[in-house]
Amino acid sequence: MKKNGINRRTFLKSSALAGAAGMVGTGSVLTSCSGSGSDGKVVYKPLKEPGSYYIPELPDLANDGKELKAGVIGCGGRGSGAAINWLNAANKVTITALADTFKDRVDDLAGKLKSEKNINIPENMRFVGLDAYKQVIDSGVDVVIVATPPNFRPIHFQYATEKGKHSFLEKPICVDSTGYRLILATAKQAQAKNLCVVTGTQRHHQRCYVEAYQKVMEGLIGEITGGVVYWNGGKLWHRDRQSGWSDCETMIKDWVNWTWLSGDHIVEQHVHNLDVFTWFSGLKPVKAVGFGSRLRRVTGDQYDNFSIDFTMENGIHLHSMCRQIDGCVNNVSEFIQGSKGTLYLQGGDRTFINDLAGNEIWKFDAEAEKTNFKQRDPYTLEHVNWINHIRAGKIIEQASETAIANMAAIMGRESAYTGKETTWEAMTTAPMDLMPKDINLTGKMDMSGFVVPIAGKPYIKQ
C-alpha cells in the first residue's frame, strides 16, 4: 500500500465507529481538491465537513436498557433471519407475536424460536391471514419487524406508525409510485412521533462500507463523477403451483417472481447497489433509460436481466446492471469514480481506493475488524443500531433515504418494461398502484394483467 499518512486502523479502533451528528441529505456533494502539505503528505479537501453526515456507532451488542418486545410480520426466510438478528443484537429483547399469510410459516418460525432461543410463542399470539399484521401490532409489542413481500410493507409501516410502534422495514420498502408516496408520508409521521425506523439496506451497517463512506466524505476520491453498480448473480428460487392453491396463494408463495409483489429483482435485490451510490453521492436520479428481458424465468411475470443508464441530478451518470441467470459470470459490487481517485466496493478487504495513477491509497482493514469486534454481521448490526436509538430516545429514520434508491429502481424497471425514458418527476407523481383490486386468498382473481411486459408496446400494469 502506498504510504500517504492515512492510518487505516484508526477508524476501526476509535470508539467503535463513533458517530457524528447529522444525516445524509440528497443534495449535491461539494467539490474536492487535494494538494501537498509542508511535510509532503497529500492533503484532502472534504466533500462534507465532519458532523454534517451520519456515521453509525456499531458496537458488538446494543447498550443495555428497557426490555423490548418485538412482533414479526412475515415469517419466511428473511423474516426468520431478521428475528434471530434481533435477538442476537442485545440483551433483554424478545419476540412475543408472529404474523404471516400462511399458518405453516408462523409455526415454522415459532418452532425455530423455541429450539434456538427457548422462546415460546403461544397459539393465541400466532396470527394468520392478510390482516394478521394488525393483530401483531395491536398485541402489545414495542417494535415490529416487517418482512412481508414488499408490496405490503408500506401498508404495514403505516399501521405500525399510527399505533406508535418502532419499525424495522426490510428492503425494498415499496414497489410502485403509490407505495413510495405512502412511505414518505408515514416516515414524516414517524419522525413527529419520535419513532425509530431502520431499513434492511444492511450496507449502511457494514463496517467496510461505513468506513469507505467516511473516506469519500473526507475527500479521498475527490468530487464524484460517476459510477457503475452490479448485482449479477444466479437464479433465486421459484415455486410451482400445487393442487388446491388459489391464484393469490400461488403468487404469494412464489412472490419473488411476481412484479406486483416483489417489484422485480431490480427493485427487490438490486436496490442494495443503487442505494450505495445514492447514499455516497447524496444524489437522486432525474431520468433513466434502460432495457431488459426475460430469458430463463419459469414462473411469474418478471424479467431476469436489466441494464439502466441513470442521469443524476447534477448531470453525472450511473450505470446499473443486474441479472438472475445461472451459468453466467457473477458480480455483486459497486464502483464509484471521482475526480481524484476510484472507490471499489466488494466487501471486506476488497474495499479500497486507488488514485488516478492506480496506486492504492486506502484499503479496509478486515483483520483489524476481526481483532476489534466479535459481531461482524451487518444484518445483526442494523438491529444493534436500531435498539440503541430506541433505548436512548434518539430518533433515526431511514425510510425516506431508502425510498430514493427504491424509486431509482422503479424508474429503471419501468424504462426497461416500456422502452421509454422515465423521469423522477413523472414517476414520483404517477398513479401507479400494482396492488390487485380483487386480491383474496380463496377465490379466483383476474390474471389477465399478469403478463410479461414487452418494450415498445403498451404496458397495462400502469
Side-chain angles (χ1 to χ4, degrees), residues 223-460:
E223 182 179 3
I224 294 174
T225 59
V228 186
V229 295
Y230 306 90
W231 195 304
N232 292 336
K235 172 188 172 182
L236 290 186
W237 51 267
H238 81 278
R239 292 189 176 93
D240 292 319
R241 185 167 189 161
Q242 302 296 307
S243 176
W245 286 4
S246 68
D247 296 334
C248 186
E249 182 178 5
T250 298
M251 289 188 285
I252 292 178
K253 288 185 173 179
D254 188 42
W255 68 268
V256 79
N257 295 289
W258 296 87
T259 299
W260 77 270
L261 284 160
S262 77
D264 210 317
H265 68 98
I266 189 175
V267 175
E268 197 281 324
Q269 185 178 67
H270 189 45
V271 68
H272 279 301
N273 315 99
L274 293 167
D275 168 72
V276 168
F277 191 82
T278 57
W279 169 29
F280 276 62
S281 70
L283 301 167
K284 62 179 181 288
V286 294
K287 63 182 179 180
V289 178
F291 54 85
S293 64
R294 179 186 177 99
L295 300 174
R296 299 285 182 85
R297 255 181 168 79
V298 295
T299 63
D301 59 355
Q302 297 184 176
Y303 284 3
D304 50 27
N305 61 94
F306 291 88
S307 180
I308 312 294
D309 173 48
F310 292 97
T311 303
M312 309 305 287
E313 57 189 332
N314 67 349
I316 67 174
H317 282 252
L318 168 68
H319 181 212
S320 152
M321 184 187 298
C322 58
R323 179 178 60 212
Q324 289 183 346
I325 299 177
D326 290 340
C328 301
V329 63
N330 294 336
N331 183 2
V332 181
S333 66
E334 299 84 26
F335 165 96
I336 300 178
Q337 183 61 52
S339 59
K340 302 295 181 181
T342 308
L343 171 63
Y344 299 85
L345 291 153
Q346 298 170 300
D349 60 6
R350 296 185 301 158
T351 300
F352 58 94
I353 293 173
N354 285 353
D355 64 19
L356 296 181
N359 301 304
E360 185 180 276
I361 59 173
W362 171 80
K363 183 178 182 180
F364 179 75
D365 196 333
E367 290 303 315
E369 184 186 27
K370 291 178 183 178
T371 299
N372 288 285
F373 298 98
K374 295 179 181 178
Q375 182 57 261
R376 298 185 296 277
D377 175 23
Y379 293 95
T380 299
L381 290 172
E382 57 194 5
H383 288 269
V384 169
N385 194 35
W386 185 35
I387 293 166
N388 274 341
H389 278 81
I390 294 169
R391 285 179 169 169
K394 183 179 179 181
I395 297 174
I396 184 172
E397 189 284 286
Q398 292 187 326
S400 55
E401 183 179 11
T402 302
I404 295 171
N406 213 146
M407 177 49 68
I410 293 169
M411 288 171 61
R413 179 194 71 204
E414 294 301 303
S415 178
Y417 279 6
T418 62
K420 308 293 185 181
E421 178 182 276
T422 57
T423 67
W424 179 269
E425 183 177 2
M427 290 300 301
T428 55
T429 59
M432 185 193 306
D433 184 350
L434 301 186
M435 185 74 77
K437 304 304 180 186
D438 59 344
I439 184 171
N440 66 86
L441 280 175
T442 57
K444 290 185 175 296
M445 293 173 57
D446 179 5
M447 301 293 287
S448 63
F450 301 111
V451 296
V452 179
I454 300 175
K457 293 189 176 181
Y459 173 41
I460 62 174

Side-chain angles (χ1 to χ4, degrees), residues 8 67 99 101 156 271 305 412:
R8 42 157 108 162
E67 183 178 12
T101 307
H156 298 168
V271 68
N305 61 94

